[in-house]
Amino acid sequence: MTISVFQVDAFTQRPFTGNPAAVCVLPEIKSEKWMQHVAKEMNLSETAFLVKEKDGFHLRWFTPSVEVELCGHATLASAHLLWEKGYLSQNEQARFRTKSGLLTAERHNGWIELNFPAKPPTEVQPPEEVLKALDVDAKYTGQNQFDYLVEVHSEEVLRGIQPDFSLLKRAPVRGVIVTSQADASKDYDIVSRFFCPAVGVNEDPVTGSAHCCLGPYWTDKLGKSELAACQASERGGLLKLKVDGDHIYMSGQAVTVLEGNLL
């Protein structure tokens, strides 16, 4: 039986920007080894695997190297694809059972809103190789369940960072989020980049799960209940964030750019 595979650019409304994810809709659960092989073959930052269940879909995410516990852009891509291809009706909520619990997505005024767990950071001093690899003067350093968070002094500093990825790869976490408040002239509130060579991706284009940390951090710091966020990778992407207790509502857009079959 052929298996449908799609490539979706997430957190953007324009093809060839945002963060591309592969989405495989499976007729039945496949082995972890098989899914890892497919993710390596697709060679994108994440490949999502969906299996229909009674009340939603079972969802797993793989980079070309490892399985991950939480991925925002591939979840957004999956929800977009399920509505676009008729797996769900247009007004139906997308429900995903994952290693991070139940995640949901809904459509609102041309945007897809994800309901994710908030993962605020705790202030810590990161390993020496993290700041050395970034070569920056940190304004704040913290850590949550998945990543280190480093705030720098300006958007200009953030955009100019050229990490030493071989050094950064030694850090004992999934990745490093670097962030700053946006320049006053910008139409977004915060800006970030995300480096994760430990899972096979030097710089991720747009990272939903990183905003599970950025949302509560900047909401507390800026005193704003809703934030507009830019991830300043080469491809770039935009998100809307709203923190509500231990949940974060993260909105983005998506566009399908490729459709095919695994033979």
Side-chain angles (χ1 to χ4, degrees):
M1 179 182 294
T2 58
I3 295 172
S4 298
V5 59
F6 307 87
Q7 185 169 316
V8 177
D9 289 342
F11 293 117
T12 183
Q13 59 182 339
R14 294 185 296 111
F16 317 126
T17 61
N19 200 353
V23 181
C24 283
V25 183
L26 303 176
E28 59 188 9
I29 294 174
K30 292 283 190 177
S31 71
E32 184 174 312
K33 182 178 180 180
W34 182 89
M35 289 187 285
Q36 188 64 74
H37 280 315
V38 172
K40 188 172 184 179
E41 184 76 11
M42 298 308 297
N43 199 31
L44 298 172
S45 58
E46 304 286 348
T47 297
F49 297 92
L50 295 161
V51 179
K52 183 75 174 74
E53 297 184 325
K54 183 177 180 180
D55 184 26
F57 290 82
H58 183 74
L59 172 60
R60 294 174 74 175
W61 311 278
F62 288 78
T63 77
S65 302
V66 298
E67 183 175 10
V68 296
E69 293 185 20
L70 185 64
C71 178
H73 87 277
T75 305
L76 181 76
S78 297
H80 162 83
L81 192 282
L82 292 175
W83 286 310
E84 182 179 74
K85 298 300 178 183
Y87 293 97
L88 294 175
S89 64
Q90 293 299 302
N91 295 321
E92 191 174 358
Q93 183 187 62
R95 298 172 61 84
F96 303 108
R97 187 168 62 82
T98 77
K99 287 193 172 184
S100 290
L102 177 66
L103 306 177
T104 63
E106 297 182 356
R107 291 160 57 95
H108 294 292
N109 300 318
W111 290 69
I112 297 171
E113 182 182 78
L114 305 175
N115 181 351
F116 267 40
K119 301 286 186 180
T122 300
E123 188 168 8
V124 298
Q125 184 63 34
E128 181 182 351
E129 59 261 33
V130 170
L131 295 182
K132 187 175 180 181
L134 297 173
D135 191 24
V136 293
D137 177 25
K139 194 173 181 180
Y140 169 92
T141 57
Q143 184 179 13
N144 72 358
Q145 177 183 348
F146 301 118
D147 309 304
Y148 286 114
L149 175 69
V150 177
E151 183 189 351
V152 296
H153 289 271
S154 71
E155 183 171 341
E156 180 182 10
V157 170
L158 180 141
R159 289 180 179 273
I161 292 172
Q162 298 182 35
D164 180 338
F165 290 112
S166 62
L167 186 58
L168 199 60
K169 191 174 183 178
R170 302 178 197 170
V173 288
R174 181 187 68 161
V176 178
I177 308 163
V178 185
T179 187
S180 76
Q181 190 170 355
D183 291 345
S185 62
K186 301 297 175 60
D187 58 359
Y188 46 85
D189 301 295
I190 63 170
V191 61
S192 67
R193 294 172 69 186
F194 184 63
F195 308 114
C196 45
V199 296
V201 182
N202 281 345
E203 180 168 4
D204 196 40
V206 196
T207 316
S209 59
H211 287 81
C212 294
C213 177
L214 290 164
Y217 176 73
W218 283 109
T219 292
D220 288 346
K221 187 161 186 174
L222 299 180
K224 298 182 68 171
S225 59
E226 297 186 17
L227 299 167
C230 168
Q231 191 154 331
S233 64
E234 183 178 354
R235 290 174 64 101
L238 298 173
L239 309 86
K240 297 177 182 179
L241 309 174
K242 181 172 64 176
V243 178
D244 183 10
D246 59 357
H247 289 262
I248 180 166
Y249 294 91
M250 185 186 318
S251 298
Q253 296 170 302
V255 57
T256 305
V257 297
L258 183 149
E259 178 177 349
N261 295 297
L262 292 172
L263 302 178

